[in-house]
Amino acid sequence: MTPDRSEALFARACAVTPGGVNSPVRAFHAVGGTPRFIRSASGAWLTDVDGQAYVDLVGSWGPMLLGHAHPEVMAAVGDALTRGTSYGAPTEPEVELAEEIVGRTPVEQVRFVSSGTEATMSAIRLARGFTGRDVVVKFAGCYHGHVDALLASAGSGLTTFAVPGTPGVPESATALTRVLPYNDREAVTALFAELGDRIACLITEAAAGNMGVVPPEPGFNQFLAETCAAHGALFVSDEVMTGFRVSRQGQWGLDGAQEGWTPDLMTFGKVMGGGFPAAAFGGRSDVMGRLSPDGPVYQAGTLSGNPIATTAGLATLRLATDDVYAHLRAVGDTIKDGAATALADAGVPHTVQSAGTMFSVFFAEGPVRDFTDAQRQDTAAFAAFFHAMLDRGVYLPPAAYEAWFVSAAHDDRAVQTVLDALPAAARAAATAREGTHG
Ligand SMILES: *Cc1c(COP(=O)(O)O)cnc(C)c1O
C-alpha cells in the first residue's frame, strides 16, 4: 500500500520541523523511505494514518511494556485527568511511584525528572558534586541521552580522550569525559590506575541496548562497581532502557541481586513513565541527600513528578508482574528463533543477542562484544529486511543498531504475523547483500 497520507504529512512536517521529526531515528534515514505517521495504537498493534496495521516491535522505544492503551493504565490516567494536569506542588502519585521504585530496586531515594537525558545529566552532576571530582567515564556505543558531556566519542589512536560526538558540543564539554571500549576490563583498570583520584563516576548502560543489545559479560558490572568503589568514584548504572524492562528490577535484578553489590546511582525512564514523559535518578541516600533543597547540588524541573505521568508509571509498574516478564521472555524467544532460522535459511550472516527480555538482531557474524563489533553490520541488508517486514505488517525499529521490544499484549496472532513475515524479509536481505557484496 502506498502510504499516501503519511507522505503528505511528512511533506508538511518537513516544512515546519527539521527532518520532519522530533527525534532523528524516526525519520527512516537509516532505512530510506517515508516514515509512517501513526494514528492510533492498541495492544501489540499500531495503525498508521493510511489505515495500515502493524505489529509493533518498537514499543515507543521501550516504554510500552504492557502494550498500547492498556485498559487499566488508561482508566488510571483518565481518572487523574479529571483532577487537572499539573500543579507544581507535591502529589500523592509521586510518593507512591517513588515507593514502588525504592521497593523494587537498590535505590534508597529517587528524584523524578521528565526524560532519560535529564536523569543522566543530573546523576553525573550529583556524582561530581558529591565526590568533588570532575572526570566522567563512559563506554563507546552506550547512549545516555543527549547530554553534552556524554555525547562524546573515543578519540583516535590509543588515547582514551573523548572528542565531541556532534557539532555544537564544545571541546570543553567533553574534555573531562573519557570513553572506553565496552566489556574491556583492562581498559577500565588502566584508566583508573592513571586517573582514579580524579574520576567522579563511571556511567554505563546496565546492559547496552543502544548499539543493538550487547550484554555485559558475566561479572562485568560487578567489576565496574568494585573498581569504582576502590577509587572512591561512584558507579552510575543507567537503566533507562533496562529498568523494569528486562526484569521486575531491571538488569541489576538479573546480574546483581545475588552478588552482593549495588550501584551508587541508577537512572530510570521509558517503562517507569508508562508512555508519558517521566524519568528518574536515585541511589544511596547519603549521595541523594546532597541534592537541593537539602544539599548544595542544584537540580529542578517544572513538570518533574507530573501527576499524570506518575499515575501512568505507577499503574504500569503495578501491572508488571512476574507473569508479564515470563510472557515477554517466551514471546521474545519465539521471535528470536524465527529470525535466526529465517536469516540462516537465506544465508544472511547474523547474530541474535539478548539481555533478559531485551534482544536485537545484528546483521553481522557475532559475537558482538562492543561498538567496534556492532559497526561491522551490513546496514544495507538490514534496510531491505526492514522494508520487507514493514510491507508485511511488522514495524521494526528503523535502524540496525536498536533493540526490538515486545509487550505483554503480543499474543499468538501478533507473533504469527511476525513469523510469517520473516522468511521473505530474510530473502530480501540476502538479495541486498548480493547487490553490495556480490
Ligand atoms: C533512551 C535512553 C536514554 C535517554 O532517554 P530520553 O528519555 O530519550 O532522554 C538514556 N539512557 C538510555 C540507556 C536510554 O536507552
Side-chain angles (χ1 to χ4, degrees):
M1 185 194 294
T2 356
D4 295 329
R5 292 188 179 182
S6 282
E7 273 171 15
L9 274 173
F10 191 46
R12 281 170 58 195
C14 286
V16 290
T17 300
V21 293
N22 288 300
S23 198
V25 72
R26 298 178 196 169
F28 278 26
H29 281 187
V31 292
T34 309
R36 300 305 188 264
F37 281 63
I38 305 304
R39 186 178 62 205
S40 65
S42 177
W45 296 83
L46 299 173
T47 303
D48 72 13
V49 289
D50 290 287
Q52 177 71 47
Y54 306 91
V55 177
D56 184 13
L57 293 181
V58 178
S60 189
W61 302 92
M64 308 319 298
L65 185 82
L66 304 174
H68 295 283
H70 187 285
E72 288 175 59
V73 178
M74 293 299 98
V77 167
D79 185 51
L81 279 171
T82 65
R83 296 189 292 273
T85 57
S86 183
Y87 322 119
T91 62
E92 187 170 351
E94 290 164 78
V95 183
E96 290 189 314
L97 182 58
E99 286 170 349
E100 185 77 25
I101 292 173
V102 167
R104 284 185 183 218
T105 72
V107 308
E108 293 170 348
Q109 290 199 320
V110 65
R111 176 161 286 172
F112 295 126
V113 291
S114 300
S115 72
T117 295
E118 260 186 280
T120 60
M121 179 188 78
S122 304
I124 65 171
R125 180 183 306 145
L126 178 57
R128 284 168 160 166
F130 179 81
T131 57
R133 302 171 175 184
D134 292 335
V135 175
V136 170
V137 184
K138 77 171 292 269
F139 293 107
C142 282
Y143 177 68
H144 304 289
H146 60 102
V147 180
D148 279 359
L150 300 176
L151 278 183
S153 312
S156 58
L158 295 175
T159 84
T160 55
F161 281 90
V163 296
T166 169
V169 172
E171 271 170 32
S172 61
T174 56
L176 296 167
T177 306
R178 296 292 182 279
V179 183
L180 300 178
Y182 193 58
N183 272 325
D184 187 337
R185 293 185 188 217
E186 279 166 28
V188 174
T189 303
L191 182 68
F192 274 81
E194 180 197 332
L195 274 187
D197 59 353
R198 289 187 53 206
I199 297 174
C201 66
L202 177 149
I203 184 167
T204 183
E205 284 188 66
N210 285 291
M211 49 176 147
V213 174
V214 181
E217 286 176 355
F220 184 64
N221 284 338
Q222 180 171 5
F223 160 79
L224 296 177
E226 288 167 357
T227 303
C228 287
H231 291 87
L234 299 189
F235 178 49
V236 184
S237 184
D238 181 355
E239 297 236 21
V240 170
M241 186 183 287
T242 48
F244 316 111
R245 161 57 63 177
V246 304
S247 75
R248 282 186 88 248
Q249 302 146 295
Q251 173 72 21
W252 186 84
L254 295 180
D255 75 1
Q258 280 81 41
E259 312 248 1
W261 61 273
T262 52
D264 298 300
L265 290 172
M266 298 175 87
T267 54
F268 304 102
K270 300 196 169 116
V271 172
M272 64 147 280
F276 283 84
F281 63 104
R284 283 164 44 189
S285 51
D286 60 328
V287 180
M288 294 300 287
R290 303 296 290 164
L291 271 183
S292 53
D294 288 352
V297 180
Y298 189 69
Q299 189 278 331
T302 301
L303 290 175
S304 294
N306 173 269
I308 310 302
T310 46
T311 296
L314 185 64
T316 298
L317 291 194
R318 285 186 174 160
L319 289 161
T321 59
D322 288 338
D323 289 349
V324 166
Y325 295 100
H327 178 81
L328 297 185
R329 205 166 301 123
V331 168
D333 285 348
T334 306
I335 293 176
K336 279 189 285 186
D337 290 351
T341 304
L343 290 166
D345 288 351
V348 178
H350 66 280
T351 314
V352 180
Q353 294 195 168
S354 42
T357 62
M358 211 166 80
F359 63 96
S360 73
V361 178
F362 290 92
F363 282 69
E365 302 282 4
V368 176
R369 290 180 67 240
D370 61 20
F371 193 44
T372 307
D373 292 345
Q375 285 173 306
R376 292 200 320 258
Q377 287 200 86
D378 185 335
T379 51
F382 175 78
F385 179 84
F386 169 86
H387 277 290
M389 294 295 279
L390 194 68
D391 289 345
R392 287 164 184 76
V394 180
Y395 190 83
L396 289 174
Y401 294 89
E402 305 292 347
W404 300 13
F405 293 107
V406 294
S407 80
H410 281 67
D411 56 8
D412 290 347
R413 188 169 75 92
V415 172
Q416 196 58 50
T417 302
V418 177
L419 295 180
D420 290 347
L422 283 166
R427 286 193 296 275
T431 307
R433 274 177 55 73
E434 278 159 28
T436 50
H437 302 260

